[in-house]
Amino acid sequence: MPDRGGGPTGPRIRVGRPSRRFRTLLMTLGVLAVLAMLFVMFSGFWTDWLWYRSVHFSSVFTTTLWTKIGLFFAFGAVMAVAVGLNIWLAHRLRPPLSAMSMEQQSLDRYRMGLAPFKKWALIAVTAVIGLIAGASASGEWRTWLQWINGVPFGTTDPQFHKDVSFYAFDLPWYRFLLSFGFACAVLSLVAAALTHYLYGGLRLSGPGSRATAAATGHLSVLLGVFVSLKAVAYWLDRYGLAVKSSGLKSADNWTGLRYVDANAYLPAKTILFFIAAICALLFFATLWRRTWQLPVIGFGLMVLSAVLIGGLYPAIVQKFQVQPNEQAKEAPYIKQNIKATRDAYDIQDAEVKSYKGNYKPASDGDKQRLRDSADTTASMRLLDPNVVSPAFQQQQQVRAYYQFPSTLDVDRYKDENGKEQDTVIGLRELNLAGIPERNWINDHFKYTHGYGAVAAKGTETADGGGPDYTEANLPPKGQLPKYEPRVYYGEKTTQYSIVGGPQAELDYSDDSGEKSYRYQGKSGVSLANPLNRAAYAVAFGEPQILYSGAIGDGSRILYNRTPKERVESVAPWLTIDGDAYPAVIDGRIQWIVDAYTTSNGYPYASRTTLGDSTADSLTNGQRAVVAQQNQVNYIRNSVKATVDAYDGTVKLYQWDTKDPVLKTWMKAFPGTVEKRSAISPDLLAHLRYPQDLFKVQRQLLTTYHVTDPGTFYTGSERWQIPDDPTTDKSGNAVPPYYLSMKMPDQKDQAFSLTTTFTPNKKDNLGAFMAVDADAKSPDYGRIRLLKLPAQTPVPGPQLAQSKFNSDPTIANELNILKKFGDSEIEYGNLLTVPLDGGLLYVEPVYLRGANTNYPLLKKVLVSYGDNKPVLENSLKDALDVVFGKKAPSTGGENPPPGGGQTGEQPPPSGQTVQQALTDAEKAYDEGEKARVDGDWAAYGEAQKKLKAALDRAAKASGKGGGSGS
C-alpha cells in the first residue's frame, strides 16, 4: 500500500528467515534429542532382556511382556473405540443449529474454533483415554494369567458350592472386567453428554425441550448400559460375600458369610439384581418411548431399594435376630470359617495334646532319670545366631572389606564322626565400606566378591566362650567338604561388578600378600558388544562403562546379586521368605530361598497381613520382613529355590506338588519350575521348614487351634505370642528357634522349629508348638501343640526370665561379671524344651567386655519346674545342679545326694573378691595380647585362667569373702 503520510520513507527493517544452516542445526538437534529419549527407553528394555537371557529365564520376560502388550492394546483399543464411537455418534445426531439463546450464541464460538480440528481432536482425546486405560489394564497381567490358566482346587465353598478356583482366579478377573466396563460407560456417557451439549442436543436454557429425541435416546442407552453393569455387580457381590472381610468378636480378620450375610445381604443382592435389570430395560425402552419418566422412576426405585433392602433390612436382622442370640446364630458360619482357615494355612492337621508342664520329681531316682533325659531330649543350641555375629566378625573377618550378616543361620552338617549336628554358619561377604580407597575401579572391578563360609558348632563353644569353629580362616579350612569359596552373589552384595576382563580382581589376602583372580563363570551379561556397553552406561547412569579401558574381551557385568532379587525377578508370582540361608552343596555354596504362593481369594478363610504376622524381635534391622503390606488368606511353601553364590544360577523346584496356585503358574510359565524329583539328596539334607510360614501359622493358631464354634466365639481359649524376654523393648514377638529335639511322642531327636504361646493377656505358658523342620523326615511339616493346663499355671518365657533375674544368687554373680572391666551382659535365645511332663528353660549368657566388641559365652541359665534356677559355667554343670546331681558352684539349694560332695576345691583361704578380680584382669590382658598377636594357643590358656579367676570371685562373693568386693 502507498505511504499516506506524504513524507519520505525511512529504511525498512526486514526480518529475514533463519538461514538454512541454522534450520538444519535445529532439526538435527531435535532429531538427536528424540533419538536420545528413545535410546533411554530402549536401554531399560534391552538390559532387562539381556539379564533374563543370562539367567536362562527369557520365557518369563517374553510371557510377561507379551501379556502386558496384549492387555494394553486390547483394553486400550476397546476404551478408545467406545469413547470415540459415542463422541462421533453424538456429533452425528446433532440438531440443526439456530442461535435462539445467549447460551447457543456463546457455544457458537467454540464450535467454530473446533470445526477445522474436529478429526484431530477426536483422535487426540480417544488416544489419551486409550493409553490410560491400556496402561491400567496391563497392570492386571497376573489376574489375566491366573484366570486363563486356573487349575481347580478340588474343594468347594459351603454356600454356593463353587470350586475355590472360582474365587481365587475367576472372580478377580470378572471384577476387573466389571470395573473396566463401568469406566467405559461413565467416560462414554460424559463424552457423549458434552458433545450433545456443545452441538445443541442438550440445553440448559432457552425455549423448548432441554434435550432432543436423538440425545435422549443416545444417553438413555448409555445409562441403560451403566445400570446393566450395576445389575451384574449385584450378582457378583453375592459371591463376594464368601471372601468379604468383617469383624467378629472373636476374630478380627473374619472372612466369609455370617448369619446376616446369608439371611439378609444375600437375598437383598438377588432382589437388587432383578430391580437393576428391570431398570436397565426401562432405560433401553426410551429408544421407542422418547421419555425419561419411566427410567427415572425405575432408577429412583433402585436407589430406594438399595437403601432399604441392601442397608436397612440387614441392620434390622442383625439388631433383632442376631444380637440377642449371636453365638447360636453364628455357630454354623464360625464352623465353616474355622475349617476354611485351617485348610488355607495348612494347619488343619495340627495336633493339640494336653501336657502337664509342672512335673515334680518325687525321688532321687526321678531326678537322675530327668538328668539323663535332658541329654537325649534336645541338643541345646548355646551358640545363638542372633548374638554371635560380632564374634564371627572380630575373629574371622580377616579384612575390613569383608562382613557377616548381623543374624547368622542355623543348618545341619556332619561332624568328624559322621553324626549330624546343629551348625551356625555365615558367609564372608564383600563390604564396600571397608575398602581402603574408594573409586570406580576398586568398587566395581577389583573388589568383586566375598570369600568362604565360616561355621561353628551350635551346641558347644571353644575355651573362653567363643565359637568352636568347624570351618574358618582364609583360605577356608575345616570339616566342610571341598567347595568353591568365592561369593559373587550374596545378601549383602547390592552393587554391580564388572569381571572377567583385562582388570584383575582381588581374590583374597594372606600373609604372603594379595592373590589375584579372574572370574571364570558364565553368569552376567557380556560387555563385548558396544550396544550393550552403551545400554548399561545409560541404565546405570555411568558413562565410564562406555569408554573405560578396564572393559574388554571377556568382560561381564554382574547385577541383581542378592538371592531375594534374583528369585523375585525370575518368578514374580512368588512371595519370598525374609531369610535366605547358605549351604555347601555338591562342592558349591548355594543360597536356599523359600518361596510362597499366596492368594487373597480363599472363601471363608480369615486374612492376615504378612508383614505383621512375620515381624518379631529380629526383624528390626536384622532380617527382612516378608511382603510388608501383602494381605492374604491362603499360603503354601510351594517352591524351594537355590541361587549359586559363584555363578548366580537360579533353580526353582516344585516342593508342594498339590498346590493348585503353583500348578496355575507352572501352566502360565512352562519350564520355569523343575519337578520335586530333581532335588538332589545333598540339597534335600539342607532344606528346612521356613520361618516366615511358621510365624504366619503360629499367628493363626493363637485363635484357630480351637475347633469348637462355641469356644471360638467366647474367645476364652485364645493365646498370644509372648514378647521376647531377652530384649528390653516391648512389643517384639519372641522369634521361633531351630532346635534338634524330640517331642513327647517322638523316639528320636528331630530338627525342629519351636515357639511358645501364652494365654491372652497373661504371662504363664499356654502352649508349646513345634514343627518337624527336616525335609528328609517323613513327618516334615507336622505341627505338634502341647496345651498347658489353665488351672495350674506354668511360667511362660517372661516369667522364666523374671525368675532368673530375681534370684539373688544369680543376680549377685551376674553383677560381678558386669563389674569386671565395665562388661555388658547379653542374653542368648531362651530355649524351651518339654521334658518328661515338665518344661526345661535354657538360656546362654554372654559377656561383652568394654574393650571388646564381641560377646563370649560365659554362663548358662537353667530352670526346671519349681526348682531353684541355676547359673553355671556350662550346660552340663547347670543340668547337674538343677536336677540335684551336684551342688551349685555359687551356693544355694538342691544339694546332691550323698552330702553334697562334688570334688570341687574351696576358694583359697583369705581369697577376696578383689584379689580374684585382679587375677581375672591380668588374665584378660594376657588374652587380648595373644589375640592381637594371633597366638590362639596362648589365648586359650588365658581364657582358662580368666574363667578360673571369675569362678574364685564368685565363690568368694558367695561366702562374703572380703571387703574388696
Side-chain angles (χ1 to χ4, degrees):
M1 294 180 64
D3 181 19
R4 296 182 181 181
T9 60
R12 296 184 178 181
I13 300 175
R14 184 176 181 181
V15 180
R17 297 175 61 189
S19 66
R20 176 177 293 180
R21 179 178 298 177
F22 185 72
R23 293 198 305 272
T24 303
L25 178 62
L26 287 178
M27 186 177 296
T28 302
L29 290 176
V31 171
L32 290 176
V34 171
L35 290 176
M37 292 175 60
L38 291 175
F39 188 77
V40 169
M41 292 187 290
F42 167 78
S43 64
F45 164 81
W46 184 243
T47 53
D48 284 347
W49 161 248
L50 292 174
W51 186 85
Y52 276 96
R53 191 175 64 176
S54 72
V55 293
H56 308 294
F57 280 87
S58 55
S59 63
V60 174
F61 179 81
T62 54
T63 299
T64 305
L65 178 64
W66 286 117
T67 302
K68 289 180 178 180
I69 290 175
L71 292 173
F72 176 86
F73 282 105
F75 284 90
V78 169
M79 181 67 79
V81 168
V83 175
L85 181 62
N86 280 282
I87 292 175
W88 173 83
L89 186 59
H91 178 265
R92 180 80 178 267
L93 297 174
R94 67 190 184 280
L97 295 177
S98 58
M100 295 180 294
S101 65
M102 293 298 298
E103 178 187 19
Q104 293 301 315
Q105 291 177 11
S106 299
L107 290 174
D108 269 341
R109 293 196 299 270
Y110 295 103
R111 287 191 284 261
M112 293 175 64
L114 184 62
F117 311 105
K118 285 192 294 186
K119 181 186 295 185
W120 294 110
L122 177 62
I123 293 174
V125 169
T126 54
V128 170
I129 292 175
L131 287 173
I132 295 172
S136 176
S138 67
E140 297 293 328
W141 64 271
R142 289 181 177 87
T143 309
W144 161 261
L145 287 176
Q146 284 190 308
W147 178 69
I148 202 69
N149 296 287
V151 172
F153 277 66
T155 302
T156 58
D157 76 285
Q159 181 67 44
F160 302 103
H161 307 292
K162 285 188 170 291
D163 191 90
V164 172
S165 61
F166 172 79
Y167 301 94
F169 306 142
D170 299 345
L171 191 58
W173 179 248
Y174 297 153
R175 281 177 164 168
F176 165 70
L177 291 179
L178 185 63
S179 64
F180 181 83
F182 273 122
C184 241
V186 170
L187 288 175
S188 297
L189 183 62
V190 171
L194 288 175
T195 305
H196 280 299
Y197 175 70
L198 181 63
Y199 287 97
L202 294 176
R203 302 186 183 92
L204 300 179
S205 62
S209 175
R210 293 287 185 267
T212 64
T216 299
H218 184 193
L219 297 180
S220 295
V221 169
L222 291 176
L223 286 170
V225 171
F226 178 85
V227 177
S228 298
L229 291 173
K230 186 61 180 175
V232 175
Y234 281 133
W235 190 258
L236 289 181
D237 285 346
R238 297 168 68 255
Y239 301 110
L241 293 172
V243 291
K244 183 194 74 170
S245 291
S246 60
L248 188 69
K249 179 181 177 181
S250 54
D252 297 332
N253 296 311
W254 172 279
T255 300
L257 281 82
R258 295 167 56 188
Y259 180 89
V260 69
D261 297 313
N263 294 278
Y265 281 111
L266 184 57
K269 297 290 183 183
T270 305
I271 294 171
L272 289 171
F273 163 75
F274 287 109
I275 292 175
I278 294 171
C279 185
L281 292 176
L282 292 177
F283 274 107
F284 292 138
T286 57
L287 283 173
W288 298 276
R289 294 179 56 85
R290 304 295 184 179
T291 175
W292 291 88
Q293 186 176 6
L294 285 178
V296 170
I297 292 174
F299 189 77
L301 176 63
M302 187 179 74
V303 173
L304 182 62
S305 300
V307 174
L308 296 179
I309 302 175
L312 184 59
Y313 174 63
I316 292 173
V317 171
Q318 179 68 24
K319 180 70 175 177
F320 295 102
Q321 291 190 32
V322 178
Q323 287 186 5
N325 191 19
E326 188 174 38
Q327 181 173 341
K329 295 289 187 183
E330 300 290 9
Y333 305 98
I334 292 175
K335 185 176 182 180
Q336 293 166 358
N337 174 267
I338 291 173
K339 182 182 184 306
T341 302
R342 289 170 65 90
D343 288 344
Y345 292 94
D346 203 18
I347 56 177
Q348 69 276 15
D349 295 326
E351 304 172 20
V352 182
K353 295 184 178 180
S354 297
Y355 187 72
K356 187 175 180 181
N358 57 354
Y359 175 77
K360 298 178 182 179
S363 63
D364 290 343
D366 282 349
K367 294 178 182 179
Q368 182 62 46
R369 178 178 55 78
L370 288 172
R371 176 63 188 90
D372 295 340
S373 295
D375 288 334
T376 59
T377 297
S379 298
M380 302 297 180
R381 183 171 43 73
L382 300 179
L383 201 66
D384 187 348
N386 313 312
V387 175
V388 301
S389 178
F392 275 53
Q393 193 78 7
Q394 180 70 27
Q395 297 176 353
Q396 290 296 322
Q397 181 187 22
V398 182
R399 295 290 186 269
Y401 46 80
Y402 293 131
Q403 64 179 327
F404 292 93
S406 56
T407 297
L408 302 174
D409 290 292
V410 178
D411 203 348
R412 296 139 293 156
Y413 289 90
K414 292 182 179 179
D415 60 16
E416 58 273 12
N417 299 319
K419 183 180 178 181
E420 197 172 80
Q421 65 179 6
D422 292 356
T423 302
V424 175
I425 187 171
L427 297 189
R428 193 182 285 108
E429 293 192 47
L430 186 64
N431 176 24
L432 286 182
I435 295 177
E437 184 176 347
R438 299 292 301 276
N439 55 58
W440 189 63
I441 293 295
N442 279 348
D443 286 0
H444 301 288
F445 290 82
K446 185 174 181 180
Y447 295 89
T448 59
H449 59 276
Y451 203 95
V454 177
K457 297 177 181 179
T459 56
E460 301 176 25
T461 58
D463 291 338
D468 186 0
Y469 295 109
T470 57
E471 184 81 8
N473 301 329
L474 271 177
K477 295 179 181 178
Q479 297 177 8
L480 295 182
K482 188 177 180 180
Y483 63 95
E484 168 57 63
R486 297 171 182 87
V487 182
Y488 281 89
Y489 295 87
E491 289 182 300
K492 303 293 184 182
T493 313
T494 55
Q495 80 287 352
Y496 71 87
S497 290
I498 299 176
V499 299
Q503 177 67 48
E505 308 164 44
L506 171 65
D507 202 21
Y508 67 92
S509 299
D510 58 16
D511 294 339
S512 62
E514 293 185 352
K515 308 295 183 182
S516 296
Y517 182 75
R518 277 186 172 81
Y519 185 64
Q520 305 298 316
K522 298 299 182 182
S523 70
V525 178
S526 172
L527 294 179
N529 187 331
L531 176 62
N532 291 357
R533 294 177 66 170
Y536 279 103
V538 172
F540 289 164
E542 183 49 71
Q544 293 187 76
I545 295 177
L546 185 60
Y547 55 79
S548 174
I551 301 175
D553 291 340
S555 291
R556 310 180 72 84
I557 185 167
L558 313 181
Y559 62 105
N560 287 351
R561 298 170 71 181
T562 69
K564 187 174 186 292
E565 279 181 317
R566 296 181 80 77
V567 177
E568 278 182 332
S569 297
V570 303
W573 62 89
L574 294 174
T575 300
I576 309 303
D577 190 271
D579 183 31
Y581 60 98
V584 176
I585 300 168
D586 298 326
R588 312 281 285 200
I589 297 175
Q590 299 280 355
W591 289 99
I592 299 176
V593 183
D594 285 288
Y596 310 106
T597 48
T598 62
S599 175
N600 196 27
Y602 198 100
Y604 279 94
S606 290
R607 290 183 170 88
T608 187
T609 302
L610 291 181
D612 296 338
S613 298
T614 58
D616 59 32
S617 63
L618 300 181
T619 54
N620 185 17
Q622 292 198 54
R623 68 184 297 268
V625 177
V626 56
Q628 183 66 47
Q629 299 302 323
N630 193 7
Q631 202 174 58
V632 304
N633 67 351
Y634 172 90
I635 186 170
R636 289 290 186 274
N637 176 213
S638 52
V639 170
K640 301 285 189 181
T642 62
V643 177
D644 193 291
Y646 181 75
D647 62 19
T649 299
V650 181
K651 291 187 177 180
L652 308 177
Y653 297 99
Q654 181 185 19
W655 182 248
D656 189 333
T657 57
K658 298 179 180 179
D659 177 29
V661 180
L662 178 61
K663 290 180 180 178
T664 295
W665 288 120
M666 290 175 68
K667 280 183 62 180
F669 296 93
T672 56
V673 181
E674 297 185 38
K675 295 294 184 181
R676 180 168 177 160
S677 57
I679 298 176
S680 69
D682 201 4
L683 171 58
L684 186 66
H686 294 279
L687 298 182
R688 67 188 191 189
Y689 202 81
Q691 292 186 62
D692 283 334
L693 175 61
F694 183 79
K695 286 189 283 187
V696 170
Q697 290 173 326
R698 76 169 177 178
Q699 180 65 51
L700 269 295
L701 283 168
T702 58
T703 303
Y704 286 93
H705 67 279
V706 173
T707 56
D708 176 65
T711 307
F712 183 94
Y713 176 83
T714 62
S716 59
E717 294 291 328
R718 290 193 71 174
W719 298 334
Q720 65 183 14
I721 300 167
D723 287 345
D724 188 349
T726 64
T727 65
D728 296 331
K729 298 178 182 179
S730 60
N732 291 318
V734 62
Y737 296 123
Y738 287 107
L739 185 68
S740 289
M741 57 162 292
K742 62 180 180 181
M743 292 287 276
D745 64 336
Q746 291 179 296
K747 294 182 179 180
D748 300 307
Q749 290 185 21
F751 188 64
S752 305
L753 192 53
T754 66
T755 192
T756 54
F757 298 99
T758 58
N760 195 28
K761 299 180 181 179
K762 292 184 179 180
D763 288 330
N764 56 289
L765 196 65
F768 178 84
M769 175 181 174
V771 63
D772 194 322
D774 186 354
K776 304 186 305 297
S777 170
D779 286 338
Y780 172 84
R782 181 178 176 184
I783 297 174
R784 295 176 172 90
L785 286 162
L786 301 180
K787 182 182 177 183
L788 280 298
Q791 62 274 17
T792 54
V794 177
Q798 288 285 356
L799 293 179
Q801 188 69 51
S802 298
K803 189 176 179 180
F804 288 142
N805 296 341
S806 60
D807 185 87
T809 305
I810 293 175
N812 183 55
E813 188 163 357
L814 291 180
N815 283 332
I816 292 174
L817 288 175
K818 287 190 284 188
K819 286 178 181 178
F820 173 65
D822 292 327
S823 301
E824 295 181 3
I825 295 292
E826 291 187 27
Y827 293 105
N829 36 222
L830 178 59
L831 303 175
T832 308
V833 176
L835 178 63
D836 283 10
L839 285 162
L840 181 69
Y841 284 103
V842 177
E843 184 175 44
V845 179
Y846 294 84
L847 183 69
R848 187 192 292 259
N851 297 323
T852 62
N853 60 358
Y854 65 95
L856 297 172
L857 179 66
K858 290 300 181 184
K859 300 285 182 180
V860 179
L861 286 161
V862 172
S863 172
Y864 183 81
D866 294 332
N867 289 14
K868 178 182 174 64
V870 301
L871 176 72
E872 294 294 329
N873 297 323
S874 68
L875 175 63
K876 178 182 180 301
D877 290 342
L879 292 173
D880 285 345
V881 172
V882 83
F883 292 118
K885 190 175 181 180
K886 63 183 290 187
S889 61
T890 56
E893 300 177 11
N894 298 334
Q901 299 298 321
T902 63
E904 295 184 0
Q905 296 298 319
S909 177
Q911 175 76 68
T912 65
V913 174
Q914 186 60 49
Q915 290 170 338
L917 290 179
T918 300
D919 293 342
E921 187 171 2
K922 180 180 178 182
Y924 176 80
D925 291 339
E926 292 175 356
E928 284 302 292
K929 183 178 183 302
R931 183 183 63 78
V932 172
D933 295 340
D935 188 347
W936 297 109
Y939 178 79
E941 289 299 322
Q943 293 300 312
K944 291 180 181 179
K945 293 179 182 178
L946 174 61
K947 178 178 179 297
L950 290 175
D951 288 344
R952 293 200 307 274
K955 289 183 174 68
S957 175
K959 295 183 176 295
S963 61
S965 60

